[in-house]
Amino acid sequence: TVGNVAFILYSGGYTYQDSQPLFKEACAWLKDSKPDVAFIAGHWNDAGLGCSATMDVPAVYDEIKGFDGCSQLDDVLQLKYIMGHTHCNEVTAHDSRGDKPA
């Protein structure tokens, strides 16, 4: 963590199957460290551009947001992700649940 902000960084060069135990460990760490917000950071925004179909950042977020530790942050809209392959500096998805106070 950096202050009250936590980060889960990963390489999309591995398979989801190989990475899943580490994602679960990271989410458990989030539960123990209790940050105010956490970011999942990876490189690929789309599968097929250098990573497998399950290792682009949106796909990883969709998978791990349900893990214990990550789900609690996601429930209050404080599990977020950042990616950068296309370098467009734009919002790529909106949370349909709307804004909730932190």
Side-chain angles (χ1 to χ4, degrees):
T1 61
V2 179
N4 63 345
V5 180
F7 297 90
I8 298 174
L9 309 172
Y10 75 95
S11 170
Y14 297 93
T15 67
Y16 181 77
Q17 182 179 0
D18 289 339
S19 302
Q20 183 186 40
L22 299 170
F23 289 139
K24 287 185 176 183
E25 182 180 329
C27 290
W29 172 76
L30 290 177
K31 186 175 184 178
D32 289 341
S33 62
K34 297 177 177 45
D36 289 331
V37 63
F39 290 91
I40 303 162
H43 181 74
W44 284 281
N45 61 304
D46 241 334
L49 298 174
C51 69
S52 70
T54 55
M55 288 299 284
D56 59 276
V57 180
V60 167
Y61 165 76
D62 283 341
E63 288 293 325
I64 74 172
K65 70 182 181 182
F67 294 168
D68 192 30
C70 287
S71 65
Q72 290 85 345
L73 286 165
D74 192 60
D75 287 346
V76 294
L77 304 177
Q78 294 304 307
L79 181 65
K80 304 172 183 299
Y81 63 84
I82 52 178
M83 59 197 171
H85 184 79
T86 56
H87 308 284
C88 293
N89 196 25
E90 62 187 31
V91 174
T92 60
H94 294 278
D95 193 318
S96 62
R97 297 173 293 178
D99 293 326
K100 292 182 183 176

